[in-house]
Amino acid sequence: MKTGQVYPPKAEAVYKAVIELLNQGYDVYQLKVSEITGKAGIGKGTAYEYFESKEKMIAGALVYDTNHLLESLYRLEEKEQEFESKLHVILQWFGQDLKESHTFARIVTIGNGNDALSLTLKEEMLQIAHCFQDFITFIDALLSVGQEQGKIGEMDGKSARMAMISQISGLILCLMHPEIYPDMSAMEAAEITYRNILRLLKG
């Protein structure tokens, strides 16, 4: 499954620049347009042909990165044939790639505010909601594979989906707030989630 989203090259350069700067430690609220365009290799005037504000650049970059993070997950999952292997790959991805990317944590933190950036991000949330709806479809397809291979016990589709999503949500919470379990590595958290899901789905 892929998002199919195509971005104009210069807009994509801005998005990549924002993510790179944020991952280098730049404060999301102190980030300057000149820093973004300098990293992107384009002029400020050109950037404003695509974006009406700095907030649009940053919010758009978070949506862009969300799309690409999920696409990387889908590509990994497609390589596996067995339900348990697919599930293991998905959770290992959360344990590694999501731990290294702070995009989801930034979305949650910024989205709870009431400033210009927060309001802009909330406007962009429709796009994020769409790719997370794709993620739900992805989960349902995975569960169908599990049912076809006899890996899931007597459980209706809604219950199976909720079991899966609740465990993944718990994993994301641990990764976003490592202080909850300071002695637990990301990969260990993924392994625990893997075992929990299998227990829940097998009934």
Side-chain angles (χ1 to χ4, degrees):
M1 179 185 294
K2 295 183 180 180
T3 64
Q5 180 69 46
V6 178
Y7 302 91
K10 291 181 180 178
E12 187 170 33
V14 167
Y15 293 151
K16 289 181 176 179
V18 169
I19 297 302
E20 287 180 22
L21 289 169
L22 293 180
N23 288 342
Q24 289 172 12
Y26 282 71
D27 186 287
V28 69
Y29 289 103
Q30 301 299 321
L31 193 58
K32 299 176 181 178
V33 173
S34 59
E35 293 169 331
I36 296 171
T37 56
K39 173 67 76 172
I42 63 175
K44 290 177 66 174
T46 300
Y48 280 116
E49 292 176 8
Y50 294 89
F51 305 97
E52 62 188 51
S53 67
K54 179 183 72 173
E55 288 75 20
K56 283 285 188 181
M57 296 178 196
I58 296 173
L62 294 174
V63 173
Y64 167 86
D65 203 41
T66 297
N67 278 321
H68 280 266
L69 285 169
L70 291 177
E71 282 182 358
S72 71
L73 171 61
Y74 301 152
R75 286 193 297 270
L76 284 174
E77 182 271 343
E78 286 174 354
K79 296 178 181 178
E80 304 296 331
Q81 299 300 318
E82 298 297 320
F83 170 73
E84 289 169 328
S85 296
K86 287 176 177 287
L87 177 59
H88 197 265
V89 163
I90 290 168
L91 297 175
Q92 290 295 323
W93 177 88
F94 274 106
Q96 181 176 346
D97 292 316
L98 189 56
K99 179 67 175 179
E100 295 172 359
S101 169
H102 301 289
T103 293
F104 289 94
R106 291 183 183 119
I107 287 173
V108 172
T109 301
I110 296 169
N112 286 331
N114 200 35
D115 52 89
L117 178 56
S118 299
L119 296 175
T120 302
L121 180 59
K122 288 170 184 175
E123 292 175 0
E124 298 286 334
M125 287 295 285
L126 287 176
Q127 296 183 55
I128 296 175
H130 175 72
C131 63
F132 276 105
Q133 182 56 51
D134 288 344
F135 182 69
I136 297 300
T137 301
F138 167 73
I139 291 295
D140 287 345
L142 174 64
L143 292 169
S144 293
V145 171
Q147 291 171 342
E148 291 169 3
Q149 295 180 357
K151 303 297 183 180
I152 297 178
E154 294 296 325
M155 180 181 288
D156 65 82
K158 291 181 180 178
S159 297
R161 180 200 288 175
M162 288 300 296
M164 179 85 76
I165 293 175
S166 65
Q167 287 297 311
I168 292 176
S169 297
L171 175 59
I172 292 173
L173 179 65
C174 287
L175 297 177
M176 288 174 57
H177 299 283
E179 69 276 7
I180 296 176
Y181 297 105
D183 298 326
M184 182 185 298
S185 71
M187 302 310 285
E188 183 182 359
E191 286 295 330
I192 291 173
T193 304
Y194 171 76
R195 295 194 296 268
N196 287 344
I197 288 176
L198 289 181
R199 279 197 295 267
L200 288 170
L201 294 182
K202 288 180 179 178

